Amino acid sequence: DVKVTQSSRYLVKRTGEKVFLECVQDMDHENMFWYRQDPGLGLRLIYFSYDVKMKEKGDIPEGYSVSREKKERFSLILESASTNQTSMYLCASSSTTEGEKLFFGSGTQLSVL
Amino acid sequence: RKEVEQDPGPFNVPEGATVAFNCTYSNSASQSFFWYRQDCRKEPKLLMSVYSSGNEDGRFTAQLNRASQYISLLIRDSKLSDSATYLCVVKNGGFKTIFGAGTRLFVKA
């Protein structure tokens, strides 16, 4: 089974801090995604990457950046955390050749105080 | 208008009941459709893809109506373990995958 691992399940940070969320997948998937999930809004795409060192903005990239230096790892960076970035962050991966199924990590609940 | 809309529920049904959810999408050029299931405090997992001809997987049946731009999920003989949030997912080509906000289902004994 595909495993997508997110580094932290819960994270508490202060306003203005730089925050790194790490995601690793073990199935050699080309595509990786970062979503945030908020009540009533569903999952919203922040950034995605379809190859090493490639990145594309999703629907809500403001205040975030990403890094993909290795195929298996996709990092989400909050340059200066704000309270409106308190959310559940979900990483996902998919294979271009194996259809469109998304495999999600278990999520990181980030609270910015 | 949201690109993908679902009734948030909750739907409260007894065990053994049949329950159906609908989901509407706004982009007539949407290409692929899915239902994901998300348990409380867990990550979403693919439940089933939705094909133009409709498809069935055990107690679950998914259908697509392109003319009216909606997809549906029917669950027969509901089990307690079916309690979850069901996410409607639409893909518009490329990497753009849009999630609905989900429909909550509670199955009670």
Side-chain angles (χ1 to χ4, degrees):
Chain A
D1 265 358
V2 174
K3 192 167 183 183
V4 180
T5 303
Q6 294 185 228
S7 52
S8 304
R9 185 75 179 97
Y10 298 96
L11 210 52
V12 179
K13 296 292 181 181
R14 294 203 177 276
T15 303
E17 280 193 76
K18 191 168 186 176
V19 182
F20 294 86
L21 302 183
E22 305 287 345
C23 175
V24 177
Q25 50 94 3
D26 66 358
M27 280 300 290
D28 203 36
H29 282 173
E30 300 86 3
N31 313 313
M32 296 188 75
F33 308 81
W34 275 107
Y35 290 88
R36 63 177 282 177
Q37 185 174 26
D38 301 287
L41 296 178
L43 278 79
R44 292 179 291 166
L45 182 64
I46 304 171
Y47 269 96
F48 65 94
S49 169
Y50 53 87
D51 201 354
V52 177
K53 297 193 185 293
M54 305 301 290
K55 59 184 179 184
E56 294 284 343
K57 292 180 180 179
D59 298 317
I60 51 165
E62 297 79 19
Y64 303 95
S65 62
V66 291
S67 172
R68 194 166 181 201
E69 296 296 318
K70 293 184 178 181
K71 191 174 185 179
E72 68 272 17
R73 187 179 297 270
F74 192 36
S75 303
L76 179 70
I77 303 148
L78 287 67
E79 297 290 342
S80 177
S82 63
T83 54
N84 62 13
Q85 292 178 310
T86 292
S87 186
M88 170 65 79
Y89 289 87
L90 289 157
C91 174
S93 72
S94 72
S95 167
T96 303
T97 57
E98 291 181 24
E100 300 157 312
K101 180 177 179 179
L102 289 169
F103 294 86
F104 284 89
S106 55
T108 296
Q109 178 62 53
L110 172 67
S111 297
V112 182
L113 307 178
Chain B
R1 182 186 172 189
K2 291 182 181 177
E3 291 189 76
V4 176
E5 294 205 63
Q6 297 182 249
D7 181 344
F11 285 66
N12 293 290
V13 302
E15 270 188 296
T18 296
V19 62
F21 312 133
N22 281 343
C23 162
T24 59
Y25 60 94
S26 60
N27 188 342
S28 60
S30 297
Q31 298 177 352
S32 306
F33 308 88
F34 311 88
W35 284 102
Y36 277 70
R37 171 196 169 124
Q38 186 172 25
D39 293 308
C40 188
R41 303 184 192 283
K42 299 281 191 181
E43 72 273 21
K45 293 184 179 179
L46 180 67
L47 178 65
M48 57 198 307
S49 302
V50 187
Y51 305 120
S52 296
S53 55
N55 50 307
E56 189 173 312
D57 183 3
R59 297 182 292 108
F60 298 82
T61 301
Q63 292 192 314
L64 167 64
N65 185 317
R66 284 194 181 271
S68 300
Q69 293 182 208
Y70 75 85
I71 67 173
S72 64
L73 178 68
L74 181 78
I75 305 175
R76 289 181 299 278
D77 190 22
S78 299
K79 310 291 184 191
L80 294 175
S81 57
D82 293 334
S83 296
T85 297
Y86 291 84
L87 306 174
C88 171
V89 181
V90 174
K91 198 168 179 187
N92 292 338
F95 293 96
K96 188 161 177 66
T97 300
I98 303 161
F99 285 76
T103 297
R104 295 184 72 186
L105 171 67
F106 293 104
V107 181
K108 55 186 187 295

